[in-house]
Amino acid sequence: MRANTKQPRAMVVKPVETGQLAFAPGSSGWTNAQAEQMHWMEVFLRGGNAWESFNRPAIGTHINIS
């Protein structure tokens, strides 16, 4: 999933504590042809392994979180 992070938005930043699952903009990204910063969104489990938590899904697998 890609997210255009060029437009500012109000954001509350809280630390992700050990054992918490988070969905957040990743550190990897690029600048597109329109000079917009693009970043991947990441699911991560602080102090653990999100991939393991979702039963090792294949790359590209759609995951629903409710």
Side-chain angles (χ1 to χ4, degrees):
M1 176 182 291
R2 293 181 304 204
N4 179 341
T5 58
K6 181 179 180 186
Q7 297 178 0
R9 50 188 130 155
M11 195 180 319
V12 175
V13 178
K14 293 182 180 179
V16 177
E17 296 182 19
T18 301
Q20 289 185 321
L21 188 67
F23 181 65
S27 58
S28 299
W30 67 98
T31 302
N32 69 14
Q34 291 76 37
E36 299 169 319
Q37 285 296 117
M38 305 298 287
H39 291 274
W40 294 106
M41 296 296 289
E42 298 177 347
V43 174
F44 66 94
L45 179 62
R46 178 70 72 208
N49 187 319
W51 180 63
E52 292 279 350
S53 295
F54 286 100
N55 297 315
R56 299 180 176 189
I59 293 171
T61 300
H62 289 255
I63 297 173
N64 295 313
I65 300 172
S66 56

